[in-house]
């Protein structure tokens, strides 16, 4: 997409132009944002019929990842949890409009297993099946909720750029759970993940362990989607193994 900043009767606005139509052009994002309670997300003013052009408020303020970079992690997490809770409270109309992600993950992992043979992939596939089988109710979630997709405005935190997924709600923090800056040791990484899961899960009424498990699934999905013989992949492998270990452990939160 291409984004333009402009001024009009509403004040500062953003005009976002997509290159594709429908969900590939994030048509579900408009429906998602219009369902949110006032003040939780960026306000949509107008769209074209195909929803490839969207006029919305321009969000003034720092993103939450800027707060983290400035040493304000506690404040950033608090604001992220506020918008996550607002999403969790929302009764989304027409849930069939949102992409059902469990089936996609199952399909992708079957494809991975046809190409690769390694213990981490087997563990992740078993974990995914367990999560799907034990999901009590799928809900509409943001789907890409991390600190860079929330802006701290004068009126409070506002989220933007939702994917609009329908899945186990514990998936919501999959991207925000892992550190947004490099960790020096696996012990630090393990402690960080465990602490954040305990902080985040209560905001949306899920178990911390399930948040960790979905983070392991999304990390494994990213890992096996790319070439496994790259230096980056080899460096990431111990962190994936750590996430899988945490997913399988009994943690006393």
């Amino acid at each position: 997409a291409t984004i333009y900043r402009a001024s009009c009767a509403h004040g500062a606005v953003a005009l976002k132009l997509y290159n594709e139509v429908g969900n590939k052009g994030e048509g579900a994002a408009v429906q998602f944002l219009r369902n949110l309670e006032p003040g939780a997300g960026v306000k949509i003013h107008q769209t074209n019929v195909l929803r490839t052009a969207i006029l919305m408020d321009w969000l003034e303020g720092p993103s939450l990842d800027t707060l983290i970079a400035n040493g304000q992690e506690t404040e950033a997490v608090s604001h992220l949890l506020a918008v996550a809770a607002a999403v969790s409270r929302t009764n989304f109309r027409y849930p069939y409009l949102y992409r059902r992600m469990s089936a996609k993950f199952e399909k992708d992992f079957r494809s991975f297993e046809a190409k690769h043979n390694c213990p981490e992939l087997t563990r992740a596939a078993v974990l995914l099946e367990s999560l799907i089988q034990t999901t009590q109710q799928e809900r509409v979630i943001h789907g890409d909720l991390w600190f860079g997709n929330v802006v701290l405005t004068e009126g409070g935190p506002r989220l933007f750029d939702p994917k609009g997924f329908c899945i186990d709600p514990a998936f919501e923090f999959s991207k925000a759970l892992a550190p947004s800056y490099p960790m020096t040791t696996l012990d630090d990484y393990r402690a960080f993940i465990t602490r954040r899961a305990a902080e985040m899960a209560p905001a949306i009424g899920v178990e911390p362990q399930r948040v960790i498990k979905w983070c392991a699934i999304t990390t494994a999905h990213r890992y096996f989607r790319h070439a496994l013989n790259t230096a980056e992949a080899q460096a990431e492998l111990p962190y994936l193994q750590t996430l899988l270990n945490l997913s399988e452990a009994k943690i006393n939160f």
Side-chain angles (χ1 to χ4, degrees):
T2 304
I3 301 176
Y4 297 91
R5 187 182 190 278
S7 297
C8 67
H10 301 292
V13 293
L15 176 62
K16 192 170 186 178
L17 303 179
Y18 290 107
N19 298 322
E20 298 181 88
V21 179
N23 279 343
K24 289 186 176 181
E26 298 195 28
V30 174
Q31 182 72 17
F32 180 96
L33 290 166
R34 284 179 168 165
N35 270 251
L36 289 179
E37 61 190 52
V42 61
K43 183 177 180 180
I44 302 292
H45 293 296
Q46 191 174 349
T47 70
N48 66 347
V49 174
L50 296 178
R51 292 190 173 177
T52 54
I54 304 173
L55 190 69
M56 66 188 85
D57 279 346
W58 182 275
L59 299 178
E60 293 284 359
S63 62
L64 298 188
D65 58 345
T66 300
L67 267 63
I68 290 180
N70 291 336
Q72 299 171 274
E73 181 188 340
T74 300
E75 183 180 354
V77 170
S78 175
H79 292 310
L80 186 83
L81 296 186
V83 295
V87 172
S88 183
R89 290 191 298 267
T90 302
N91 182 21
F92 287 92
R93 298 188 298 274
Y94 316 120
Y96 55 83
L97 293 176
Y98 301 94
R99 189 174 188 183
R100 303 188 72 88
M101 291 300 292
S102 294
K104 172 177 169 49
F105 276 112
E106 286 184 309
K107 179 181 178 181
D108 287 350
F109 271 85
R110 285 195 297 268
S111 175
F112 298 153
E113 289 180 301
K115 298 176 183 176
H116 309 295
N117 181 21
C118 68
E120 291 77 22
L121 178 55
T122 301
R123 292 169 69 189
V126 170
L127 176 60
L128 174 62
E129 183 62 23
S130 173
L131 282 168
I132 291 173
Q133 292 298 324
T134 56
T135 298
Q136 296 182 357
Q137 181 183 14
E138 293 190 334
R139 295 206 306 252
V140 177
I141 65 169
H142 181 286
D144 192 23
L145 188 63
W146 67 291
F147 296 94
N149 276 347
V150 181
V151 170
L152 183 58
T153 70
E154 289 185 357
R158 303 285 185 272
L159 62 79
F160 63 96
D161 204 21
K163 301 303 180 190
F165 292 160
C166 189
I167 194 170
D168 181 349
F171 180 95
E172 186 72 282
F173 293 124
S174 294
K175 194 168 182 179
L177 187 66
S180 54
Y181 46 85
M183 303 300 288
T184 55
T185 69
L186 291 175
D187 285 341
D188 287 341
Y189 184 79
R190 186 181 300 107
F192 189 99
I193 292 290
T194 305
R195 172 174 57 83
R196 271 219 177 144
E199 292 173 344
M200 292 178 168
I204 57 173
V206 299
E207 298 175 354
Q209 190 83 38
R210 288 188 75 86
V211 174
I212 293 175
K213 288 179 179 180
W214 275 113
C215 184
I217 291 299
T218 57
T219 301
H221 186 271
R222 183 180 64 251
Y223 182 86
F224 291 107
R225 190 176 57 196
H226 299 99
L228 304 185
N229 58 354
T230 64
E232 181 181 357
Q234 291 304 309
E236 186 176 358
L237 182 58
Y239 295 91
L240 172 58
Q241 293 169 335
T242 297
L243 271 171
L244 290 170
N245 291 341
L246 284 172
S247 298
E248 296 163 353
K250 292 184 179 179
I251 304 173
N252 185 20
F253 289 97

